[in-house]
């Protein structure tokens, strides 16, 4: 009985993933390499691997309650906590390498191009000859890679708060981080809110917000004061593209974001979407806004990527037909989102 009590005491502080994994392979090395989101060789998204106060939250993210998406893990390649978040990289069985921040999947090698291309080309193909572009977030470099396709662009500023995300992406995701190598790119490692406060009025033709899900600090990036600063930093007729979650899961959040944007942006405001298999529900959305000035027709691209000069290779997901189709919304979305 004493031995059992000691065993219970010994295992009380071991993460559940380690206990489960130990039943399959009682291996000290396996325990050392496990992770709060990896149970018996499978990664599952959850709220926050650093917060172990409530075990019920391990597989119940408040952004998509009642469901979880899992990927089989072949090998954990990197796990460390930065000043801001936990960074995890693993090799999956079917989607290549995967980047995870605070337990939430950010990208996989297999399907990253769908998101990166849409969030970049929806705004940049909607205006003629964009020259000055700001990327907020996007520390993996994928958005930079896509913006760099546009030969008219002269300056690409990127504001990313976490240097570790940049370093990890350069090491494990060189196909995305190649975006940092473009000579037009100027990196600013700092808080986006502070950076944008000091941007001269009307500096940018386009701003692309590639932020994480709006929980915790990122909540500020989907609220009216942030959009007001974005609008001030855009020239007349300038455009914003902001990641805007899934129409299957977050119509309430989309409603709130659209309402705030319609109060701020006096040009046009639209919602578009794309398929990305490894994002919750397999769908991700984008809010497209323009400031008062030369009118912007987001639905019909005036700067089609097929005609861009100096193209090395065509995008793998985006084209002009996909661009227009992205703004076609299901009837249930039009009914649930009052601002559409």
């Amino acid at each position: 009985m004493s031995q059992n009590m000691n065993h219970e005491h010994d295992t009380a502080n071991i993460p559940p993933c380690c206990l489960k994994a130990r039943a399959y392979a009682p291996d000290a090395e396996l325990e050392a390499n496990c992770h709060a989101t990896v149970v018996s060789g499978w990664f599952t998204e959850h709220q926050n691997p650093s917060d172990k106060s409530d075990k019920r939250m391990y597989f119940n993210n408040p952004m998509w309650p009642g469901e979880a998406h899992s990927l089989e893990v072949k090998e954990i390649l990197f796990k460390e906590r930065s000043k801001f978040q936990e960074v995890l990289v693993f090799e999956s069985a079917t989607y290549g390498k995967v980047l995870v921040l605070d337990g939430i999947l950010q990208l996989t090698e297999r399907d990253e191009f769908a998101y990166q291309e849409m969030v970049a080309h929806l705004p940049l193909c909607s205006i003629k000859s964009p020259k000055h572009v700001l990327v907020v977030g996007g520390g993996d470099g994928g958005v930079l890679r896509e913006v760099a396709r546009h030969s008219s662009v002269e300056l690409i500023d990127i504001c990313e708060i976490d240097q570790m995300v940049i370093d990890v992406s350069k090491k494990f995701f060189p196909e995305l981080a190649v975006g940092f190598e473009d000579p037009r790119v100027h990196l600013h490692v700092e808080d986006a809110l502070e950076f944008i406060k000091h941007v001269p009025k009307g500096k940018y033709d386009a701003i692309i917000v590639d932020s994480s899900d709006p929980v915790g600090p990122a909540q500020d990036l989907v609220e009216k004061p942030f959009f007001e600063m974005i609008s001030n930093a855009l020239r007349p007729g300038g455009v914003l593209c902001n990641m805007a979650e899934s129409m299957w899961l977050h119509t309430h959040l989309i409603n709130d974001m659209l309402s705030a944007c319609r109060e701020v942006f006096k040009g046009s405001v639209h919602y578009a979407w794309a398929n990305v298999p490894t994002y919750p529900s397999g769908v991700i959305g984008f809010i497209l806004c323009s400031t008062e000035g030369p009118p912007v027709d987001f639905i019909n691209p005036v700067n089609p990527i097929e005609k861009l000069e100096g193209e090395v290779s065509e995008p793998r997901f985006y084209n002009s037909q996909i661009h227009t189709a992205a703004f076609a919304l299901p009837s249930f979305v039009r009914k649930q989102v009052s601002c559409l």
Side-chain angles (χ1 to χ4, degrees):
M1 181 172 181
S2 176
Q3 287 181 339
N4 288 339
M5 289 179 64
N6 288 336
H7 175 72
E8 290 176 3
H9 176 75
D10 290 341
T11 60
N13 296 318
I14 297 177
C17 61
C18 296
L19 294 175
K20 276 195 173 183
R22 182 185 286 175
Y24 287 83
D27 187 315
E29 182 178 355
L30 175 62
E31 181 176 314
N33 290 327
C34 78
H35 183 269
T37 55
V38 179
V39 176
S40 303
W42 288 79
F43 162 84
T44 302
E45 287 185 303
H46 74 107
Q47 185 184 32
N48 189 344
S50 64
D51 180 11
K52 299 179 176 61
S53 61
D54 186 355
K55 300 298 188 293
R56 294 170 302 174
M57 298 302 292
Y58 269 26
F59 304 108
N60 184 23
N61 190 293
M63 287 294 295
W64 38 93
E67 61 183 86
H69 184 207
S70 299
L71 292 176
E72 185 177 2
V73 178
K74 291 175 63 177
E75 180 184 5
I76 292 178
L77 303 174
F78 180 91
K79 56 172 183 175
E80 192 170 324
R81 185 160 190 85
S82 73
K83 292 187 294 184
F84 306 98
Q85 59 202 335
E86 186 174 79
V87 182
L88 169 69
V89 178
F90 67 87
E91 182 74 34
S92 70
T94 53
Y95 279 85
K97 290 192 286 292
V98 180
L99 175 64
V100 178
L101 300 179
D102 270 348
I104 298 177
L105 186 150
Q106 303 297 308
L107 63 89
T108 79
E109 286 185 303
R110 182 176 173 183
D111 64 6
E112 55 84 10
F113 60 89
Y115 172 81
Q116 315 285 358
E117 292 176 9
M118 291 296 279
V119 77
H121 301 311
L122 284 174
L124 296 183
C125 290
S126 296
I127 56 176
K128 294 180 178 179
S129 301
K131 291 181 171 57
H132 299 156
V133 179
L134 169 64
V135 177
V136 176
D140 53 73
V143 175
L144 296 178
R145 180 193 66 197
E146 297 306 316
V147 173
R149 290 180 184 270
H150 293 259
S151 57
S152 67
V153 172
E154 300 171 355
L155 168 72
I156 310 171
D157 279 332
I158 174 170
C159 184
E160 164 62 52
I161 196 171
D162 198 337
Q163 181 67 49
M164 184 181 289
V165 172
I166 298 169
D167 296 339
V168 166
S169 298
K170 288 181 177 180
K171 180 176 181 179
F172 295 104
F173 301 94
E175 298 83 2
L176 287 92
V178 67
F180 286 102
E181 298 175 11
D182 193 284
R184 295 168 291 178
V185 171
H186 297 264
L187 173 61
H188 308 268
V189 181
E190 59 183 286
D191 182 89
L193 291 171
E194 288 301 313
F195 177 82
I196 295 176
K197 281 180 185 178
H198 300 97
V199 169
K201 183 176 178 63
K203 178 176 180 178
Y204 298 109
D205 300 291
I207 297 177
I208 300 167
V209 180
D210 178 20
S211 63
S212 55
D213 293 289
V215 290
Q219 176 67 35
D220 292 336
L221 302 185
V222 296
E223 295 181 345
K224 186 177 177 181
F226 177 69
F227 292 131
E228 288 173 337
M229 287 190 288
I230 290 285
S231 177
N232 183 71
L234 287 169
R235 64 157 171 84
V239 296
L240 162 70
C241 184
N242 202 113
M243 188 275 286
E245 300 301 333
S246 167
M247 62 186 180
W248 288 100
L249 303 172
H250 306 121
T251 50
H252 60 291
L253 177 59
I254 295 168
N255 246 324
D256 292 344
M257 293 178 69
L258 284 170
S259 295
C261 286
R262 290 198 184 280
E263 290 182 30
V264 173
F265 294 92
K266 303 306 180 184
S268 56
V269 177
H270 287 273
Y271 181 82
W273 61 285
N275 293 108
V276 182
T278 50
Y279 286 167
S281 81
V283 169
I284 193 68
F286 313 95
I287 287 181
L288 282 299
C289 308
S290 65
T291 57
E292 187 175 11
V296 177
D297 179 5
F298 283 113
I299 298 175
N300 300 296
V302 297
N303 183 30
I305 201 163
E306 293 87 351
K307 295 181 180 179
L308 290 180
E309 297 179 0
E311 271 286 286
V312 177
S313 61
E314 65 178 341
R316 298 167 65 190
F317 187 91
Y318 175 91
N319 56 49
S320 291
Q321 291 73 37
I322 287 288
H323 181 121
T324 298
F327 294 91
L329 301 176
S331 297
F332 82 89
V333 178
R334 291 190 172 278
K335 290 180 181 178
Q336 293 181 23
V337 180
S338 58
C339 292
L340 292 175

